Amino acid sequence: MKKILHKIWQFFQYPFIIFMAILFCLCLVLRLPFDYIKYKRSPYWKDLHKKYRMFAASGDNFELYNQIALNDLPIEYIANPQNDTIDCGWFVFEKTLIVTNYFDFAYDFELGKWCYHSEDDDEQSVIMTIEEYIEAEIEDVNKIAGDMICNDAVILVDAASIENPELAKEDGRFLVYDNNRVDVLRTFCGKRTS
């Protein structure tokens, strides 16, 4: 019985792999034109005229850039001089870095701080606090940019992706949004300018 099952698997293995490869390529071919059109019609393309890269219009930073541009928010996009893809650029408002890529922070009630923990099965240990993370982000951005572009940072985060979103909303280092990050960014910019 084992030999029969093995022969059946061998017979169907290659056609299955070929079928999955064809299906993947078909999905890719069907999705790319829509991504390209979305990219070419975007404020990002109109402002920066950067060459299209595969799935460039699918990233979160691309969407954020376009939302900022369409809503005339006074947030500046600074391209990374070492990597010109949109996912490697930074959003800055009055020397405050708006971090969009972040670790999964959780509030540690023992320490009384937001921390990023290791995911060991035995016990959790603190890898870094939010203060250390923000300090490292500011240092990295300024070093890569070759200029002092920011001296403070806030983390833009979806309420659904953070533990204790109500507690995070009370902390000035988080910009927590439920459905509309434009409103949160507009409020943030308004508080800083007034």
Side-chain angles (χ1 to χ4, degrees):
M1 183 68 171
K2 192 175 183 181
K3 284 184 178 182
I4 294 172
L5 290 174
H6 183 69
K7 291 212 183 258
I8 291 172
W9 168 247
Q10 281 183 329
F11 180 75
F12 286 109
Q13 179 181 8
Y14 296 111
F16 178 74
I17 292 171
I18 292 169
F19 172 75
M20 293 306 291
I22 290 170
L23 187 64
F24 175 77
C25 290
L26 186 62
C27 290
L28 190 69
V29 167
L30 291 175
R31 185 165 177 210
L32 276 176
F34 292 105
D35 191 70
Y36 181 79
I37 291 167
K38 182 179 178 182
Y39 183 81
K40 289 293 187 170
R41 291 182 175 177
S42 71
Y44 180 80
W45 164 253
K46 290 174 185 167
D47 295 346
L48 304 176
H49 293 289
K50 291 201 177 187
K51 183 180 173 186
Y52 174 78
R53 294 179 189 223
M54 197 173 349
F55 298 116
S58 300
D60 195 44
N61 278 0
F62 176 80
E63 290 296 326
L64 181 58
Y65 180 95
N66 293 323
Q67 289 173 345
I68 288 169
L70 290 171
N71 290 283
D72 293 323
L73 296 175
I75 297 170
E76 180 183 4
Y77 174 75
I78 300 172
N80 183 334
Q82 297 176 358
N83 185 342
D84 68 345
T85 62
I86 181 119
D87 290 331
C88 292
W90 308 290
F91 297 97
V92 178
F93 175 71
E94 293 183 352
K95 296 246 182 219
T96 300
L97 176 67
I98 300 170
V99 179
T100 57
N101 302 324
Y102 61 92
F103 291 113
D104 292 328
F105 285 96
Y107 193 77
D108 188 319
F109 288 97
E110 279 183 29
L111 295 174
K113 294 181 176 187
W114 288 92
C115 299
Y116 173 63
H117 294 95
S118 66
E119 307 236 352
D120 293 339
D121 291 335
D122 300 338
E123 67 178 59
Q124 285 191 340
S125 61
V126 174
I127 293 179
M128 72 174 65
T129 64
I130 192 168
E131 292 85 3
E132 294 167 332
Y133 175 72
I134 286 175
E135 186 178 317
E137 280 290 314
I138 293 168
E139 186 178 315
D140 286 349
V141 168
N142 288 334
K143 183 178 178 183
I144 293 169
D147 193 13
M148 178 76 165
I149 64 171
C150 60
N151 56 19
D152 194 12
V154 292
I155 300 171
L156 182 65
V157 60
D158 187 345
S161 67
I162 191 167
E163 239 180 69
N164 301 320
E166 294 306 316
L167 191 60
K169 285 179 183 179
E170 296 172 11
D171 192 318
R173 295 167 295 190
F174 288 104
L175 297 177
V176 182
Y177 62 93
D178 290 311
N179 294 321
N180 190 347
R181 61 182 165 192
V182 171
D183 289 342
V184 171
L185 289 170
R186 187 176 286 123
T187 302
F188 171 73
C189 294
K191 284 181 183 177
R192 291 290 179 118
T193 54
S194 56

